[in-house]
Amino acid sequence: MSLSVTCSGTGTPFVVLHGWGMNGNIWQPVVPALSENFQLHCVDLPGFGLSEWSPTSEVSLEGFLEQIMPALPERFHLLGWSLGGLIAKQAALSYPERVISLNTVASSPHFVESDSWSGIKPDILEQFQQQLETNFKKTIERFLAIQAMGSDDAREQVKQVKQLIFAKPMPNPGVLKQALSILQTADLRQQLKSIEVPFTRFYGRLDSLVPERAIADISALAPDSDAVIFNKSSHAPFISEPERFVSELLRAVKS
């Protein structure tokens, strides 16, 4: 099993984890600035981009960590976007001695909407599962379109992200499908209070996948964490507001 990790810059190690259907190229808009401040490690999660999936591992939060943690520095700052944020939270819970700070972007401890929780409507994720059977590239393109909804330059953002993502191989179809199941079922809400490392959460006010109304509920579950909201962004503020994103991230990590 080979894991693709692209390293740049010098200084304290800083690991970034992408979201569902993506790969490490998604971070290109902020790589130069982050590489000026840290030794940046852009991971292709197993089964995505240039990373292979180990057939002996189950597709779960723990399964991802089992494969990526041996390849990472001994101690590092950690940033996870969307699904990558779920994996990052699990890393901070399971390996607190290795994670210097936890930072999540457009990520929820529980992504699916219910009567008492704001999130993604269950039927949308179910549609994605069904569409993956027939055309998973088209499904990822539709997912990208939903992520950018609400942003001023949504069409340009989707075009930019497509170019970055499709420059690498398409994800392993089986891992892609089972990773979507993680988004449908994972629930770390009660574990948030057990996170011991410094924890900052970044959100886009226009995000339809992690709605603005969910932020206060997450804050209540993680009262020791800080929330930063990007008013002009949807699901990817590091793409729509890269300069401010880097500025806020540096402030959080270095405070």
Side-chain angles (χ1 to χ4, degrees), residues 4 7 34 226:
S4 175
C7 298
L34 291 180
D226 294 318

Side-chain angles (χ1 to χ4, degrees), residues 183-195:
L183 288 178
Q184 290 176 298
T185 59
D187 190 350
L188 296 179
R189 284 178 289 185
Q190 297 313 309
Q191 287 98 307
L192 289 190
K193 61 181 179 293
S194 300
I195 292 174

Side-chain angles (χ1 to χ4, degrees), residues 205-226:
R205 184 178 61 83
L206 308 173
D207 194 350
S208 62
L209 302 179
V210 184
E212 185 182 15
R213 59 186 178 276
I215 298 173
D217 292 335
I218 300 171
S219 294
L221 293 171
D224 294 333
S225 66
D226 294 318

Side-chain angles (χ1 to χ4, degrees), residues 149-169:
M149 276 194 317
S151 296
D152 290 342
D153 56 348
R155 185 172 295 181
E156 188 57 39
Q157 277 187 49
V158 171
K159 181 180 176 184
Q160 180 185 4
V161 172
K162 273 189 195 176
Q163 289 174 339
L164 292 171
I165 295 308
F166 294 147
K168 287 186 175 181

Side-chain angles (χ1 to χ4, degrees), residues 105-124:
V105 191
S107 192
S108 176
H110 184 57
F111 275 91
V112 179
E113 180 181 273
S114 66
D115 291 342
S116 58
W117 189 257
S118 298
I120 311 171
K121 295 190 181 303
D123 60 328
I124 291 178

Side-chain angles (χ1 to χ4, degrees), residues 27-250:
W27 299 105
Q28 283 302 317
V30 294
V31 162
L34 291 180
S35 298
E36 288 178 7
N37 293 273
F38 305 99
Q39 182 191 73
L40 188 66
H41 298 251
C42 289
V43 177
D44 281 356
L45 289 171
F48 296 87
L50 298 173
S51 291
E52 299 173 359
W53 181 265
S54 170
T56 60
S57 295
E58 64 172 5
V59 182
S60 64
L61 298 180
E62 295 80 2
F64 279 114
L65 290 177
E66 181 183 281
Q67 296 177 70
I68 68 174
M69 292 303 285
L72 300 182
E74 190 57 36
R75 279 176 58 77
F76 50 87
H77 294 287
L78 182 57
L79 171 65
W81 172 52
S82 199
L83 170 65
L86 269 176
I87 297 169
K89 292 185 194 88
Q90 189 63 59
L93 288 163
S94 301
Y95 303 92
E97 72 285 355
R98 295 186 62 185
V99 178
I100 302 170
S101 74
L102 170 64
N103 307 274
T104 61
V105 191
S107 192
S108 176
H110 184 57
F111 275 91
V112 179
E113 180 181 273
S114 66
D115 291 342
S116 58
W117 189 257
S118 298
I120 311 171
K121 295 190 181 303
D123 60 328
I124 291 178
L125 290 176
E126 195 54 50
Q127 286 171 20
F128 283 138
Q129 281 285 21
Q130 293 167 5
Q131 290 165 356
L132 281 174
E133 300 287 350
T134 55
N135 190 335
F136 62 88
K137 183 176 181 183
K138 198 78 176 173
T139 306
I140 292 173
E141 290 179 342
R142 182 168 171 243
F143 191 62
L144 288 173
I146 288 177
Q147 293 183 44
M149 276 194 317
S151 296
D152 290 342
D153 56 348
R155 185 172 295 181
E156 188 57 39
Q157 277 187 49
V158 171
K159 181 180 176 184
Q160 180 185 4
V161 172
K162 273 189 195 176
Q163 289 174 339
L164 292 171
I165 295 308
F166 294 147
K168 287 186 175 181
M170 293 297 291
N172 176 308
V175 176
L176 189 70
K177 185 175 177 62
Q178 292 180 71
L180 188 59
S181 295
I182 295 176
L183 288 178
Q184 290 176 298
T185 59
D187 190 350
L188 296 179
R189 284 178 289 185
Q190 297 313 309
Q191 287 98 307
L192 289 190
K193 61 181 179 293
S194 300
I195 292 174
E196 300 172 350
V197 304
F199 181 15
T200 305
R201 299 170 289 118
F202 300 90
Y203 301 98
R205 184 178 61 83
L206 308 173
D207 194 350
S208 62
L209 302 179
V210 184
E212 185 182 15
R213 59 186 178 276
I215 298 173
D217 292 335
I218 300 171
S219 294
L221 293 171
D224 294 333
S225 66
D226 294 318
V228 179
I229 300 174
F230 295 83
N231 289 324
K232 298 177 181 178
S233 294
S234 180
H235 197 61
F238 56 92
I239 292 175
S240 48
E241 299 180 66
E243 291 181 3
R244 187 191 161 207
F245 180 82
V246 170
S247 174
E248 295 285 1
L249 181 61
L250 291 177

